[in-house]
Amino acid sequence: SQTIHQWPATLVQPVGSPLSLECTVEGTSNPNLYWYRQAAGRGLQLLFYSIGIDQISSEVPQNLSASRPQDRQFILSSKKLLLSDSGFYLCAWSLTSGPYEQYFGPGTRLTVT
Amino acid sequence: AQSVSQHNHHVILSEAASLELGCNYSYGGTVNLFWYVQYPGQHLQLLLKYFSGDPLVKGIKGFEAEFIKSKFSFNLRKPSVQWSDTAEYFCAVNARGSQGNLIFGKGTKLSVKP
């Protein structure tokens, strides 16, 4: 069966520091991968999605970037964190053909101080 | 642009009460529809989904949802809730051919009193 891992689970970082969040999927090949940010009362906002290695689309202009160095690894990064980057970050995967139901990881709680 | 509206921010029910959570979407084309649930301290989980066929779909834990195309709605129902249904519920939509980019509603928090 497929599993999705995210780490770290929680992170506290000062403003201006760099960020790297990692997501890996096991048990499937060449999945679509997604990064979301969840804010209380505002649902989930899609940040990036990837249909393959080095194929990444950004949905919202951000102080963030994403990379996919391996088939089942998806990384969310920032060079300099802002206070507004605080939130709960979720990674998800889906198959590469419709209907693209997505399966979510446990998330990372990021607090920027 | 696509959007999803969930009309209730917080619903409070007693055990055994019936539940209906509203979800409306705006998109003119063919869509796939989903309900996700997030129990306290747990992952976001798929509750049920609609792709095609019978517009009444059944999911886990006794939940069901009905797709009404003319109303652009996909409401979630359960005849009798339990305390363990306390969670946040999210409706989501993706357009066919969109590579699965899900548009989520803002969520509805359900509190069930024992």
Side-chain angles (χ1 to χ4, degrees):
Chain A
S1 64
Q2 301 86 5
T3 55
I4 179 168
H5 304 280
Q6 285 186 245
W7 63 90
T10 60
L11 190 60
V12 180
Q13 292 282 92
V15 167
S17 64
L19 173 74
S20 181
L21 303 181
E22 191 164 339
C23 169
T24 58
V25 180
E26 297 176 356
T28 187
S29 296
N30 193 32
N32 283 358
L33 295 172
Y34 309 84
W35 277 111
Y36 290 87
R37 179 163 57 202
Q38 183 179 16
R42 292 165 64 179
L44 281 77
Q45 180 186 40
L46 179 65
L47 302 176
F48 301 94
Y49 71 94
S50 171
I51 62 172
I53 292 176
D54 295 330
Q55 298 180 74
I56 297 168
S57 297
S58 173
E59 287 294 299
V60 181
Q62 297 284 343
N63 180 42
L64 301 168
S65 61
S67 61
R68 186 170 176 174
Q70 299 179 41
D71 179 44
R72 291 171 288 174
Q73 184 184 32
F74 205 23
I75 296 173
L76 183 69
S77 303
S78 173
K79 291 183 179 178
K80 286 186 177 181
L81 283 168
L82 305 173
L83 283 175
S84 57
D85 292 323
S86 293
F88 191 54
Y89 290 84
L90 289 166
C91 181
W93 74 272
S94 75
L95 296 174
T96 56
S97 57
Y100 303 108
E101 59 199 77
Q102 293 180 23
Y103 299 92
F104 287 81
T108 295
R109 173 76 59 192
L110 171 66
T111 303
V112 182
T113 61
Chain B
Q2 298 172 61
S3 66
V4 177
S5 297
Q6 291 184 242
H7 313 298
N8 307 102
H9 177 63
H10 192 185
V11 173
I12 302 173
L13 295 173
S14 298
E15 276 194 313
S18 65
L19 170 72
E20 181 160 2
L21 301 182
C23 172
N24 287 90
Y25 66 93
S26 65
Y27 182 70
T30 305
V31 295
N32 301 314
L33 297 153
F34 308 86
W35 275 97
Y36 284 85
V37 60
Q38 191 169 32
Y39 297 102
Q42 294 190 27
H43 298 201
L44 201 62
Q45 302 172 34
L46 182 65
L47 193 58
L48 48 75
K49 58 197 177 190
Y50 172 80
F51 306 141
S52 63
D54 188 344
L56 183 63
V57 292
K58 296 190 183 299
I60 60 172
K61 303 186 180 185
F63 285 91
E64 65 178 31
E66 185 175 12
F67 171 49
I68 303 179
K69 189 175 181 180
S70 61
K71 295 184 178 181
F72 298 89
S73 70
F74 190 55
N75 291 354
L76 181 70
R77 300 194 292 247
K78 186 171 183 179
S80 175
V81 296
Q82 301 173 320
W83 177 79
S84 59
D85 294 324
T86 296
E88 191 158 17
Y89 293 82
F90 295 92
C91 181
V93 171
N94 67 31
R96 298 274 172 95
S98 67
Q99 285 289 349
N101 301 343
L102 281 177
I103 307 298
F104 280 84
K106 293 184 178 180
T108 297
K109 190 171 291 188
L110 172 65
S111 299
V112 180
K113 297 185 291 185

